[in-house]
Structure formats: C-alpha cells, structure tokens
Amino acid sequence: MLQARRKVLATILAIWGVAATAEEVDLLAFGDSLTAGYGLIETEGFVPQLRDWLAAQGHEVRVVNAGVSGDTTAGGAARIGWSLTPEIDAMILTLGGNDLLRGIDPAVTRANLDTILSEAEAHGVSVLVVGLRAPDNYGPEYKTAFDAIYPDLAEDYGALYEPSFFAGLGEDDPREARQYFQPDGIHPNADGVRRIIEALGPRVIGLITGAE
C-alpha cells in the first residue's frame, strides 16, 4: 500500500513539474517602428517572427507588441508604467533610434532609458537591453556618449545586453547589409527581420528562461 501511494505521489509531482515547465511566458517587446514591424505585413514583423522562432525552439511565449512607430525614449518613459501589466514576466527594450534621427542629447536619452529600466525593476520584470550605435557623422563626442548608454545602463540594472539590434545583418559591410532593408534604408525587410531574430534569439531565450 505504501509503495502504491508513493507511485501516485510521484506521478502527481511529475505532472505538476510538466505543467510548471510548460507555463507560458509573457514577453513585452517594448520599442519603436523596428519592433512594431513598420512597412511589413503582420506575419513578417519582428514580434510574429520572434514568437514563431521561439516556438520552433520549444518555448511557449506570448510576445506582446509594444512597438510604437516614431516613438522616442521620452515616449517610452511616458508609457512604460501602464505597459508593464501584471502578467508581464520579461521585456525586450529596443528604443533610441528616433532619438538618434532627431539628434537628441545623449544625456536625455540616457535619463529616459534609466526611467524605463527603473520602472521594470520596480515591477520585478527581467530585461534584455538591445543597443544601437550612433553613426560617425554625429561626431566623436556624440557617438561616444550615445554608444555608452546601453552597456552602462544594462550593467547598472543587471540586465542582459545585446550591443546592436542589427547585428545579424552584417552591419560592418554596408553593401552586404543593404539587401536586408526596405527602400528607406532604415527598416529591415522580412528577410532582414529573420536574420535579426536568428542573431538575437539566443539572448531572448536566456531572458525568458530566467523569467521562467
């Protein structure tokens, strides 16, 4: 009788264990048009492709598209509080591109991103900070100040860090990378998004497995 009870208990615990590992993770993709999927049909955008890629790797993740085209870090700081709804476990932060396009003072960008990360910390949400690099034509002082924002803040908050959103596009060779962009030269095409996710995906898995 005792042995039978032990077997039943072991079965119950095994079922609970499977249920726990299969529990869906809620991931907030918080960014601008790069996250929103600007210029692409819905299934080709960053969020749907990321969700499908994660599923193919065996991870059940609900990816919430919190990308707003044209948004700056100031806009992100203004909406982060209500974007972090109670079910959110983790967040990918990809903001700053529109700050660059507008030439916003890097100190302002840093302060806004600090606000976003502080809010995530207060909500107990794990974060993957995805950086951007300023172009050389902004001058060395601007570039140095801007490029340092993302690694500095990731270290301050103990967040995961990926240096560049475009790492998967061969960005060191502009001629090579051009084929992965839409005609505007700013937003990736569907194939570009696929390559971005292949490069970024392992970092996202590290984020969500920590969240699990």
Side-chain angles (χ1 to χ4, degrees), residues 16-85:
W16 285 353
V18 170
T21 56
E23 184 177 350
E24 185 179 70
V25 173
D26 290 283
L27 174 64
L28 184 71
F30 194 75
D32 48 32
S33 55
L34 297 175
T35 301
Y38 176 88
L40 300 171
I41 63 173
E42 184 176 356
T43 56
E44 295 176 343
F46 177 78
V47 167
Q49 287 207 50
L50 176 60
R51 181 191 60 234
D52 292 346
W53 186 90
L54 289 169
Q57 310 306 310
H59 297 279
E60 186 179 359
V61 183
R62 184 177 75 98
V63 187
V64 179
N65 192 341
V68 175
S69 294
D71 208 11
T72 62
T73 56
R79 64 187 173 92
I80 185 61
W82 53 263
S83 297
L84 290 171
T85 51

Side-chain angles (χ1 to χ4, degrees), residues 8-10 23 26 35 40 55 58 66-67 77 85 94 126 138 142-143 149-150 159 168 177 183:
V8 171
L9 179 59
E23 184 177 350
D26 290 283
T35 301
L40 300 171
T85 51
T94 55
S126 303
Y138 278 77
Y142 187 102
K143 180 173 176 57
I149 294 170
Y150 299 92

Side-chain angles (χ1 to χ4, degrees), residues 45-50 53 192-202:
F46 177 78
V47 167
Q49 287 207 50
L50 176 60
W53 186 90
V193 172
R194 179 185 61 79
R195 291 175 66 93
I196 287 168
I197 289 170
E198 288 175 352
L200 186 63

Side-chain angles (χ1 to χ4, degrees), residues 163-188:
S164 175
F165 184 83
F166 298 110
L169 303 186
E171 57 182 340
D172 293 332
D173 184 350
R175 287 179 297 182
E176 166 79 14
R178 193 174 300 128
Q179 64 184 303
Y180 302 117
F181 283 87
Q182 297 178 44
D184 63 11
I186 297 174
H187 300 93

Side-chain angles (χ1 to χ4, degrees), residues 82-111:
W82 53 263
S83 297
L84 290 171
T85 51
E87 73 276 6
I88 296 299
D89 301 300
M91 177 175 74
I92 304 172
L93 175 59
T94 55
L95 274 173
N98 289 304
D99 292 46
L100 271 179
L101 291 174
R102 301 181 187 193
I104 291 173
D105 184 345
V108 173
T109 299
R110 180 184 285 267

